[in-house]
Amino acid sequence: MKIFIDTANLDKIKEVNSWGILDGVTTNPSLVAKENTDFRTLVGEICKLVDGPISAEVMSTKAADMVAEARELAKINRNVVIKVPMTEEGLKATKTLANEDIPVNMTLIFSAAQALLAAKAGARYVSPFVGRLDDIGQDGMKLISEIMNILDNYDFDTEVIVASVRDPIHVVEAAQLGAHIATIPYDVLKKMFNHPLTDNGIKKFQDDWAKVPKKP
Ligand code: E4P
């Protein structure tokens, strides 16, 4: 499974990139707003850090405007992927951009029907938001299973980015379902490292190693 980090924060991207397991980055308007930096500049800086798909979202609501905005964003770097919301206008824009070989990540996906339409329109990625479904008592990971089944039935080139990840369990379950990608917040990535038995084991080994006679 590919691992993306779900942030626009350069320091967090640098830190996780140093682990050697990072395959890409997703941003969204809320994540960008936290950084208080010009959007195009920030996307360009992220592209310099990670040689992988970097999702940047259009804010227009009409297809023609989305396409125009996307074309400008795509000029920032060859790795830029255009995030387009799952709307009728977004679908039209996705079809146009796909025909121009500009990769699209259709986002704010909350149903298998939406994911099917996105794949049909030629989206390179679909982003189902599992955490936001869980937040309202629906089963986010069930949606991942449904989408994976649909994509497996046909030869769509679309990959699933499991988004709105809230904890390591989401990541593990996404991997068990064969999802192509999980985009993971920094805090969740850090939690994936931690296990008290690992910490206890390291301490025990260190303590016992201290007892091993050492030649002068
Ligand atoms: C993908 O990048 C999505 O925008 C992101 O995962 C949404 O996460 P949230 O539901 O925690 O805002």
Side-chain angles (χ1 to χ4, degrees):
M1 183 168 76
K2 284 173 271 189
I3 288 180
F4 290 5
I5 186 170
D6 199 19
T7 185
N9 181 276
L10 296 176
D11 290 336
K12 290 176 178 176
I13 293 169
K14 280 177 196 162
E15 180 185 340
V16 174
N17 201 32
S18 73
W19 301 351
I21 52 91
L22 196 58
D23 300 301
V25 182
T26 54
T27 73
N28 65 39
S30 303
L31 294 172
V32 169
K34 288 177 181 176
E35 303 309 314
N36 194 32
T37 307
D38 167 72
F39 181 38
R40 291 178 59 88
T41 304
L42 186 57
V43 172
E45 288 303 311
I46 294 173
C47 290
K48 290 175 189 170
L49 294 175
V50 179
D51 184 18
I54 310 296
S55 284
E57 192 153 345
V58 294
M59 293 310 295
S60 303
T61 53
K62 290 294 183 190
D65 298 332
M66 288 174 172
V67 169
E69 201 179 332
R71 286 171 180 153
E72 287 309 305
L73 286 173
K75 289 175 185 173
I76 295 172
N77 186 287
R78 62 181 174 77
N79 284 335
V80 169
V81 172
I82 307 299
K83 257 190 172 182
V84 175
M86 171 40 77
T87 62
E88 187 174 337
E89 291 297 307
L91 214 53
K92 293 179 198 171
T94 296
K95 184 64 179 177
T96 301
L97 294 168
N99 289 338
E100 297 177 10
D101 286 330
I102 295 176
V104 172
N105 172 6
M106 282 213 90
T107 189
L108 287 164
I109 298 273
F110 294 98
S111 74
Q114 288 179 322
L116 175 58
L117 289 177
K120 186 70 184 166
R124 184 76 56 83
Y125 306 98
V126 290
S127 289
F129 283 32
V130 296
R132 295 194 190 185
L133 284 167
D134 290 358
D135 291 345
I136 63 168
Q138 295 187 15
D139 186 345
M141 295 316 292
K142 182 173 180 292
L143 173 60
I144 302 302
S145 177
E146 292 170 354
I147 295 172
M148 290 307 295
N149 287 340
I150 289 170
L151 294 183
D152 288 346
N153 289 339
Y154 303 95
D155 59 351
F156 290 125
D157 290 333
T158 306
E159 293 189 311
V160 174
I161 303 177
V162 177
S164 189
V165 165
R166 295 282 193 272
D167 54 50
I169 299 296
H170 274 159
V171 182
V172 169
E173 290 179 345
Q176 289 171 330
L177 289 170
H180 307 91
I181 304 159
T183 191
I184 309 168
Y186 174 81
D187 294 342
V188 175
L189 281 162
K190 297 285 274 187
K191 285 177 185 172
M192 288 176 72
F193 266 118
N194 296 328
H195 196 293
L197 291 181
T198 302
D199 298 340
N200 294 346
I202 290 169
K203 181 164 185 340
K204 177 76 168 56
F205 286 162
Q206 296 285 1
D207 291 347
D208 290 345
W209 183 254
K211 302 168 193 167
V212 174
K214 311 294 190 294
K215 282 185 178 177

